[in-house]
Amino acid sequence: MKYTTLTMNGKDYKLRLGAAHIEQLEKHLGGRNPLDLLMAAENGNLPPLTGTLRILHSSMQKFQHGISWSDVQNIYDEYVDEGNTYTDLLPHLIEVFQISGFFKKAPEAGEATGAENL
């Protein structure tokens, strides 16, 4: 099973959004697609911290069973205390969406895309 690893506060967390966790996350976000929150950053609008931490919390559920909302808030506070920023976290969450099937990874420069066979 695919996952991405995020190291926060010296601990590795395996992250992936499964269907059940996406469904619960959408409920927390008032029916919004969670990817919409992060895509706003591309337009210069940072998503709210609560929504971002909800994405992190949901992506931790599959491999860190029983991690609570309070745990995630504390992990984030320690992450910031260690000199990291809110914006440092966003690329990791984009990777979560990629491995969770929201979109494919863009090909690297020089990689074949299959379009050359058309």
Side-chain angles (χ1 to χ4, degrees), residues 13-24:
Y13 295 96
K14 294 179 183 178
L15 307 177
R16 181 188 172 107
L17 288 166
H21 300 117
I22 294 168
E23 181 180 349
Q24 287 185 349

Side-chain angles (χ1 to χ4, degrees), residues 17 25 33-35 38 55 92-103:
L17 288 166
L25 179 56
N33 183 312
L35 186 56
L38 292 183
I55 294 168
H92 297 287
L93 296 181
I94 291 170
E95 188 174 345
V96 168
F97 284 111
Q98 186 264 319
I99 61 101
S100 298
F102 279 75
F103 55 87

Side-chain angles (χ1 to χ4, degrees), residues 4 7-8 15 19 29 36 52 55 69 71 97:
T4 185
T7 303
M8 296 178 81
L15 307 177
L29 300 175
D36 286 346
T52 302
I55 294 168
W69 174 243
D71 292 336
F97 284 111

Side-chain angles (χ1 to χ4, degrees), residues 59-79:
S59 67
M60 288 179 158
Q61 296 301 306
K62 191 165 208 63
F63 296 105
Q64 284 77 218
H65 305 287
I67 196 161
S68 72
W69 174 243
S70 180
D71 292 336
V72 171
Q73 290 171 317
N74 291 330
I75 290 167
Y76 177 77
D77 286 343
E78 291 173 21
Y79 179 74

